[in-house]
Amino acid sequence: MIELAALDMAGTTIDEAGAVYRALRTAVERTGVAVAEADLQTWMGTDKREAIAALVRTGGGTPTPELVEDGYAAFAEFLREAYRTTPPRALPGVEDALAELRRRGIKVALTTGFSDDVAYPLLESLGWSTGEGGNLDAVVTSDEVPRGRPAPHMIHRAMEKTGVIDTRRVLVAGDTVVDVEAGANAGAGVVIGVLTGELTRAAFEGRPHTHVLDGVADIPALPETRPTA
């Protein structure tokens, strides 16, 4: 049986109306380079500083440390303003799914390419938290790991925080290619692509995964999440 569900945030558990895509594009294009849609999608789900540097380089610019930090500051500010204008909300059925998984004894962790200053206010706006009375067992942000997705570090950090030691008992779910790649790189027993983001079912073909589901709401129906007799 699965002991830990490590789930992405934006586009997987949280509906933020595509603000991350717009914020990332804005942050990069303000440096004077153009961003192709395909390149933007390639870097969704990754550490946002890494994404900004890569997209600037792809567009022909030079991603100096100062430029990347300035770009990230612009990204974070655009995102905060977008969230003030259109507050994020839980995707349909997600809160019930998280509660059901925890009721079965499965730990729930959220992992994100956001840094602390973006991730925690977002969670607070939803009323989601760890600790007593909260609905989560752990949160792992990009600030806590040396590399973002598709590196496995955030998933392994979630295991450390929740006391899970067997990667085969970890379920990973996300709405981007790097989410499932990170799950595979972590050795997770269940790796799920969900269709609540920008990708279609076909986009996950050829990528490492065990399931493609309509959304996180469908995870409790998987036999791997059900207690054994």
Side-chain angles (χ1 to χ4, degrees), residues 66-90:
E66 295 78 14
L67 183 144
V68 171
E69 284 304 312
D70 182 66
Y72 184 79
F75 164 81
E77 180 54 36
F78 182 96
L79 203 57
R80 282 191 287 267
E81 181 58 33
Y83 288 168
R84 281 192 290 268
T85 303
T86 306
R89 57 186 179 179

PDB file of all heavy atoms in Angstrom, residues 66-90:
ATOM      1  N   GLU A  66      22.369  38.131 -11.718  1.00  0.00           N
ATOM      2  CA  GLU A  66      21.581  39.329 -11.409  1.00  0.00           C
ATOM      3  C   GLU A  66      20.307  39.366 -12.246  1.00  0.00           C
ATOM      4  O   GLU A  66      19.232  39.708 -11.746  1.00  0.00           O
ATOM      5  CB  GLU A  66      22.422  40.585 -11.679  1.00  0.00           C
ATOM      6  CG  GLU A  66      23.625  40.755 -10.790  1.00  0.00           C
ATOM      7  CD  GLU A  66      24.800  39.874 -11.175  1.00  0.00           C
ATOM      8  OE1 GLU A  66      24.794  39.308 -12.307  1.00  0.00           O
ATOM      9  OE2 GLU A  66      25.734  39.749 -10.360  1.00  0.00           O
ATOM     10  N   LEU A  67      20.429  39.017 -13.517  1.00  0.00           N
ATOM     11  CA  LEU A  67      19.247  39.017 -14.384  1.00  0.00           C
ATOM     12  C   LEU A  67      18.239  37.988 -13.926  1.00  0.00           C
ATOM     13  O   LEU A  67      17.024  38.253 -13.919  1.00  0.00           O
ATOM     14  CB  LEU A  67      19.673  38.753 -15.830  1.00  0.00           C
ATOM     15  CG  LEU A  67      18.565  38.788 -16.886  1.00  0.00           C
ATOM     16  CD1 LEU A  67      19.089  39.387 -18.190  1.00  0.00           C
ATOM     17  CD2 LEU A  67      18.003  37.396 -17.157  1.00  0.00           C
ATOM     18  N   VAL A  68      18.716  36.813 -13.535  1.00  0.00           N
ATOM     19  CA  VAL A  68      17.794  35.756 -13.082  1.00  0.00           C
ATOM     20  C   VAL A  68      17.079  36.183 -11.805  1.00  0.00           C
ATOM     21  O   VAL A  68      15.855  35.992 -11.671  1.00  0.00           O
ATOM     22  CB  VAL A  68      18.560  34.438 -12.869  1.00  0.00           C
ATOM     23  CG1 VAL A  68      17.659  33.403 -12.189  1.00  0.00           C
ATOM     24  CG2 VAL A  68      19.054  33.893 -14.201  1.00  0.00           C
ATOM     25  N   GLU A  69      17.800  36.781 -10.862  1.00  0.00           N
ATOM     26  CA  GLU A  69      17.162  37.225  -9.623  1.00  0.00           C
ATOM     27  C   GLU A  69      16.151  38.326  -9.891  1.00  0.00           C
ATOM     28  O   GLU A  69      15.064  38.357  -9.293  1.00  0.00           O
ATOM     29  CB  GLU A  69      18.218  37.696  -8.620  1.00  0.00           C
ATOM     30  CG  GLU A  69      18.968  36.568  -7.952  1.00  0.00           C
ATOM     31  CD  GLU A  69      18.030  35.578  -7.257  1.00  0.00           C
ATOM     32  OE1 GLU A  69      17.139  36.021  -6.513  1.00  0.00           O
ATOM     33  OE2 GLU A  69      18.172  34.364  -7.503  1.00  0.00           O
ATOM     34  N   ASP A  70      16.484  39.235 -10.801  1.00  0.00           N
ATOM     35  CA  ASP A  70      15.542  40.290 -11.165  1.00  0.00           C
ATOM     36  C   ASP A  70      14.314  39.694 -11.840  1.00  0.00           C
ATOM     37  O   ASP A  70      13.178  40.105 -11.580  1.00  0.00           O
ATOM     38  CB  ASP A  70      16.227  41.286 -12.101  1.00  0.00           C
ATOM     39  CG  ASP A  70      15.309  42.435 -12.485  1.00  0.00           C
ATOM     40  OD1 ASP A  70      14.957  43.229 -11.592  1.00  0.00           O
ATOM     41  OD2 ASP A  70      14.935  42.533 -13.678  1.00  0.00           O
ATOM     42  N   GLY A  71      14.542  38.710 -12.701  1.00  0.00           N
ATOM     43  CA  GLY A  71      13.434  38.038 -13.363  1.00  0.00           C
ATOM     44  C   GLY A  71      12.551  37.302 -12.383  1.00  0.00           C
ATOM     45  O   GLY A  71      11.317  37.327 -12.504  1.00  0.00           O
ATOM     46  N   TYR A  72      13.181  36.654 -11.395  1.00  0.00           N
ATOM     47  CA  TYR A  72      12.375  35.938 -10.407  1.00  0.00           C
ATOM     48  C   TYR A  72      11.550  36.912  -9.564  1.00  0.00           C
ATOM     49  O   TYR A  72      10.386  36.630  -9.244  1.00  0.00           O
ATOM     50  CB  TYR A  72      13.237  35.076  -9.490  1.00  0.00           C
ATOM     51  CG  TYR A  72      12.380  34.271  -8.545  1.00  0.00           C
ATOM     52  CD1 TYR A  72      11.753  33.107  -8.966  1.00  0.00           C
ATOM     53  CD2 TYR A  72      12.115  34.721  -7.261  1.00  0.00           C
ATOM     54  CE1 TYR A  72      10.904  32.399  -8.139  1.00  0.00           C
ATOM     55  CE2 TYR A  72      11.269  34.033  -6.418  1.00  0.00           C
ATOM     56  CZ  TYR A  72      10.675  32.864  -6.856  1.00  0.00           C
ATOM     57  OH  TYR A  72       9.825  32.180  -6.026  1.00  0.00           O
ATOM     58  N   ALA A  73      12.127  38.039  -9.209  1.00  0.00           N
ATOM     59  CA  ALA A  73      11.372  39.032  -8.440  1.00  0.00           C
ATOM     60  C   ALA A  73      10.153  39.506  -9.231  1.00  0.00           C
ATOM     61  O   ALA A  73       9.056  39.673  -8.674  1.00  0.00           O
ATOM     62  CB  ALA A  73      12.272  40.212  -8.086  1.00  0.00           C
ATOM     63  N   ALA A  74      10.336  39.712 -10.541  1.00  0.00           N
ATOM     64  CA  ALA A  74       9.219  40.121 -11.397  1.00  0.00           C
ATOM     65  C   ALA A  74       8.175  39.015 -11.473  1.00  0.00           C
ATOM     66  O   ALA A  74       6.961  39.273 -11.439  1.00  0.00           O
ATOM     67  CB  ALA A  74       9.723  40.480 -12.789  1.00  0.00           C
ATOM     68  N   PHE A  75       8.642  37.770 -11.609  1.00  0.00           N
ATOM     69  CA  PHE A  75       7.733  36.616 -11.635  1.00  0.00           C
ATOM     70  C   PHE A  75       6.887  36.564 -10.366  1.00  0.00           C
ATOM     71  O   PHE A  75       5.655  36.431 -10.417  1.00  0.00           O
ATOM     72  CB  PHE A  75       8.545  35.326 -11.776  1.00  0.00           C
ATOM     73  CG  PHE A  75       7.789  34.071 -11.451  1.00  0.00           C
ATOM     74  CD1 PHE A  75       6.942  33.490 -12.384  1.00  0.00           C
ATOM     75  CD2 PHE A  75       7.913  33.466 -10.202  1.00  0.00           C
ATOM     76  CE1 PHE A  75       6.232  32.340 -12.087  1.00  0.00           C
ATOM     77  CE2 PHE A  75       7.211  32.312  -9.899  1.00  0.00           C
ATOM     78  CZ  PHE A  75       6.360  31.755 -10.838  1.00  0.00           C
ATOM     79  N   ALA A  76       7.537  36.677  -9.208  1.00  0.00           N
ATOM     80  CA  ALA A  76       6.822  36.566  -7.937  1.00  0.00           C
ATOM     81  C   ALA A  76       5.815  37.698  -7.766  1.00  0.00           C
ATOM     82  O   ALA A  76       4.688  37.476  -7.289  1.00  0.00           O
ATOM     83  CB  ALA A  76       7.818  36.556  -6.781  1.00  0.00           C
ATOM     84  N   GLU A  77       6.189  38.904  -8.166  1.00  0.00           N
ATOM     85  CA  GLU A  77       5.285  40.035  -8.016  1.00  0.00           C
ATOM     86  C   GLU A  77       4.083  39.909  -8.958  1.00  0.00           C
ATOM     87  O   GLU A  77       2.937  40.175  -8.568  1.00  0.00           O
ATOM     88  CB  GLU A  77       6.020  41.345  -8.280  1.00  0.00           C
ATOM     89  CG  GLU A  77       5.135  42.580  -8.147  1.00  0.00           C
ATOM     90  CD  GLU A  77       4.397  42.662  -6.818  1.00  0.00           C
ATOM     91  OE1 GLU A  77       4.979  42.263  -5.777  1.00  0.00           O
ATOM     92  OE2 GLU A  77       3.225  43.114  -6.816  1.00  0.00           O
ATOM     93  N   PHE A  78       4.333  39.500 -10.202  1.00  0.00           N
ATOM     94  CA  PHE A  78       3.229  39.293 -11.145  1.00  0.00           C
ATOM     95  C   PHE A  78       2.274  38.243 -10.600  1.00  0.00           C
ATOM     96  O   PHE A  78       1.045  38.393 -10.669  1.00  0.00           O
ATOM     97  CB  PHE A  78       3.763  38.859 -12.507  1.00  0.00           C
ATOM     98  CG  PHE A  78       2.691  38.679 -13.559  1.00  0.00           C
ATOM     99  CD1 PHE A  78       2.396  39.693 -14.449  1.00  0.00           C
ATOM    100  CD2 PHE A  78       1.958  37.499 -13.649  1.00  0.00           C
ATOM    101  CE1 PHE A  78       1.403  39.546 -15.412  1.00  0.00           C
ATOM    102  CE2 PHE A  78       0.965  37.335 -14.598  1.00  0.00           C
ATOM    103  CZ  PHE A  78       0.687  38.364 -15.486  1.00  0.00           C
ATOM    104  N   LEU A  79       2.828  37.168 -10.043  1.00  0.00           N
ATOM    105  CA  LEU A  79       2.002  36.088  -9.535  1.00  0.00           C
ATOM    106  C   LEU A  79       1.165  36.546  -8.342  1.00  0.00           C
ATOM    107  O   LEU A  79      -0.025  36.232  -8.247  1.00  0.00           O
ATOM    108  CB  LEU A  79       2.894  34.905  -9.136  1.00  0.00           C
ATOM    109  CG  LEU A  79       2.247  33.528  -9.094  1.00  0.00           C
ATOM    110  CD1 LEU A  79       1.635  33.164 -10.436  1.00  0.00           C
ATOM    111  CD2 LEU A  79       3.273  32.478  -8.675  1.00  0.00           C
ATOM    112  N   ARG A  80       1.787  37.290  -7.430  1.00  0.00           N
ATOM    113  CA  ARG A  80       1.032  37.791  -6.269  1.00  0.00           C
ATOM    114  C   ARG A  80      -0.122  38.676  -6.712  1.00  0.00           C
ATOM    115  O   ARG A  80      -1.231  38.590  -6.178  1.00  0.00           O
ATOM    116  CB  ARG A  80       1.969  38.546  -5.329  1.00  0.00           C
ATOM    117  CG  ARG A  80       2.832  37.644  -4.458  1.00  0.00           C
ATOM    118  CD  ARG A  80       3.547  38.428  -3.374  1.00  0.00           C
ATOM    119  NE  ARG A  80       4.626  39.227  -3.909  1.00  0.00           N
ATOM    120  CZ  ARG A  80       5.882  38.815  -3.982  1.00  0.00           C
ATOM    121  NH1 ARG A  80       6.213  37.610  -3.549  1.00  0.00           N
ATOM    122  NH2 ARG A  80       6.817  39.604  -4.479  1.00  0.00           N
ATOM    123  N   GLU A  81       0.126  39.545  -7.705  1.00  0.00           N
ATOM    124  CA  GLU A  81      -0.930  40.422  -8.198  1.00  0.00           C
ATOM    125  C   GLU A  81      -2.035  39.614  -8.884  1.00  0.00           C
ATOM    126  O   GLU A  81      -3.230  39.886  -8.704  1.00  0.00           O
ATOM    127  CB  GLU A  81      -0.353  41.447  -9.164  1.00  0.00           C
ATOM    128  CG  GLU A  81      -1.382  42.441  -9.713  1.00  0.00           C
ATOM    129  CD  GLU A  81      -2.089  43.215  -8.620  1.00  0.00           C
ATOM    130  OE1 GLU A  81      -1.470  43.501  -7.572  1.00  0.00           O
ATOM    131  OE2 GLU A  81      -3.288  43.531  -8.816  1.00  0.00           O
ATOM    132  N   ALA A  82      -1.635  38.608  -9.661  1.00  0.00           N
ATOM    133  CA  ALA A  82      -2.635  37.750 -10.318  1.00  0.00           C
ATOM    134  C   ALA A  82      -3.486  37.031  -9.285  1.00  0.00           C
ATOM    135  O   ALA A  82      -4.712  36.892  -9.457  1.00  0.00           O
ATOM    136  CB  ALA A  82      -1.934  36.748 -11.220  1.00  0.00           C
ATOM    137  N   TYR A  83      -2.864  36.569  -8.203  1.00  0.00           N
ATOM    138  CA  TYR A  83      -3.606  35.864  -7.163  1.00  0.00           C
ATOM    139  C   TYR A  83      -4.517  36.802  -6.382  1.00  0.00           C
ATOM    140  O   TYR A  83      -5.570  36.393  -5.888  1.00  0.00           O
ATOM    141  CB  TYR A  83      -2.640  35.163  -6.213  1.00  0.00           C
ATOM    142  CG  TYR A  83      -1.948  33.940  -6.806  1.00  0.00           C
ATOM    143  CD1 TYR A  83      -0.871  33.347  -6.163  1.00  0.00           C
ATOM    144  CD2 TYR A  83      -2.370  33.389  -8.013  1.00  0.00           C
ATOM    145  CE1 TYR A  83      -0.242  32.227  -6.696  1.00  0.00           C
ATOM    146  CE2 TYR A  83      -1.745  32.284  -8.557  1.00  0.00           C
ATOM    147  CZ  TYR A  83      -0.673  31.701  -7.887  1.00  0.00           C
ATOM    148  OH  TYR A  83      -0.062  30.602  -8.423  1.00  0.00           O
ATOM    149  N   ARG A  84      -4.115  38.077  -6.257  1.00  0.00           N
ATOM    150  CA  ARG A  84      -5.009  39.044  -5.613  1.00  0.00           C
ATOM    151  C   ARG A  84      -6.234  39.297  -6.478  1.00  0.00           C
ATOM    152  O   ARG A  84      -7.353  39.456  -5.978  1.00  0.00           O
ATOM    153  CB  ARG A  84      -4.267  40.357  -5.356  1.00  0.00           C
ATOM    154  CG  ARG A  84      -3.358  40.345  -4.136  1.00  0.00           C
ATOM    155  CD  ARG A  84      -2.898  41.745  -3.774  1.00  0.00           C
ATOM    156  NE  ARG A  84      -1.966  42.288  -4.755  1.00  0.00           N
ATOM    157  CZ  ARG A  84      -0.652  42.171  -4.670  1.00  0.00           C
ATOM    158  NH1 ARG A  84      -0.111  41.526  -3.639  1.00  0.00           N
ATOM    159  NH2 ARG A  84       0.131  42.692  -5.594  1.00  0.00           N
ATOM    160  N   THR A  85      -6.005  39.352  -7.791  1.00  0.00           N
ATOM    161  CA  THR A  85      -7.111  39.633  -8.717  1.00  0.00           C
ATOM    162  C   THR A  85      -8.038  38.432  -8.871  1.00  0.00           C
ATOM    163  O   THR A  85      -9.272  38.568  -8.855  1.00  0.00           O
ATOM    164  CB  THR A  85      -6.542  40.021 -10.097  1.00  0.00           C
ATOM    165  OG1 THR A  85      -5.670  41.141  -9.948  1.00  0.00           O
ATOM    166  CG2 THR A  85      -7.667  40.362 -11.057  1.00  0.00           C
ATOM    167  N   THR A  86      -7.431  37.251  -9.030  1.00  0.00           N
ATOM    168  CA  THR A  86      -8.198  36.015  -9.194  1.00  0.00           C
ATOM    169  C   THR A  86      -7.679  34.997  -8.189  1.00  0.00           C
ATOM    170  O   THR A  86      -6.718  34.279  -8.473  1.00  0.00           O
ATOM    171  CB  THR A  86      -8.059  35.457 -10.626  1.00  0.00           C
ATOM    172  OG1 THR A  86      -8.413  36.474 -11.571  1.00  0.00           O
ATOM    173  CG2 THR A  86      -8.949  34.237 -10.829  1.00  0.00           C
ATOM    174  N   PRO A  87      -8.275  34.960  -7.005  1.00  0.00           N
ATOM    175  CA  PRO A  87      -7.752  34.073  -5.963  1.00  0.00           C
ATOM    176  C   PRO A  87      -7.759  32.605  -6.395  1.00  0.00           C
ATOM    177  O   PRO A  87      -8.739  32.124  -6.978  1.00  0.00           O
ATOM    178  CB  PRO A  87      -8.723  34.294  -4.790  1.00  0.00           C
ATOM    179  CG  PRO A  87      -9.280  35.664  -5.032  1.00  0.00           C
ATOM    180  CD  PRO A  87      -9.391  35.783  -6.519  1.00  0.00           C
ATOM    181  N   PRO A  88      -6.671  31.900  -6.151  1.00  0.00           N
ATOM    182  CA  PRO A  88      -6.633  30.471  -6.459  1.00  0.00           C
ATOM    183  C   PRO A  88      -7.652  29.703  -5.626  1.00  0.00           C
ATOM    184  O   PRO A  88      -8.091  30.161  -4.565  1.00  0.00           O
ATOM    185  CB  PRO A  88      -5.199  30.067  -6.076  1.00  0.00           C
ATOM    186  CG  PRO A  88      -4.431  31.337  -6.075  1.00  0.00           C
ATOM    187  CD  PRO A  88      -5.390  32.386  -5.625  1.00  0.00           C
ATOM    188  N   ARG A  89      -8.000  28.531  -6.103  1.00  0.00           N
ATOM    189  CA  ARG A  89      -8.936  27.679  -5.367  1.00  0.00           C
ATOM    190  C   ARG A  89      -8.527  26.224  -5.584  1.00  0.00           C
ATOM    191  O   ARG A  89      -7.796  25.902  -6.526  1.00  0.00           O
ATOM    192  CB  ARG A  89     -10.360  27.905  -5.857  1.00  0.00           C
ATOM    193  CG  ARG A  89     -10.542  27.666  -7.347  1.00  0.00           C
ATOM    194  CD  ARG A  89     -11.931  28.043  -7.803  1.00  0.00           C
ATOM    195  NE  ARG A  89     -12.083  27.831  -9.246  1.00  0.00           N
ATOM    196  CZ  ARG A  89     -13.199  28.050  -9.914  1.00  0.00           C
ATOM    197  NH1 ARG A  89     -14.269  28.507  -9.283  1.00  0.00           N
ATOM    198  NH2 ARG A  89     -13.258  27.831 -11.206  1.00  0.00           N
ATOM    199  N   ALA A  90      -9.015  25.376  -4.709  1.00  0.00           N
ATOM    200  CA  ALA A  90      -8.744  23.948  -4.865  1.00  0.00           C
ATOM    201  C   ALA A  90      -9.433  23.432  -6.123  1.00  0.00           C
ATOM    202  O   ALA A  90     -10.568  23.823  -6.433  1.00  0.00           O
ATOM    203  CB  ALA A  90      -9.253  23.187  -3.653  1.00  0.00           C
TER     204      ALA A  90
END
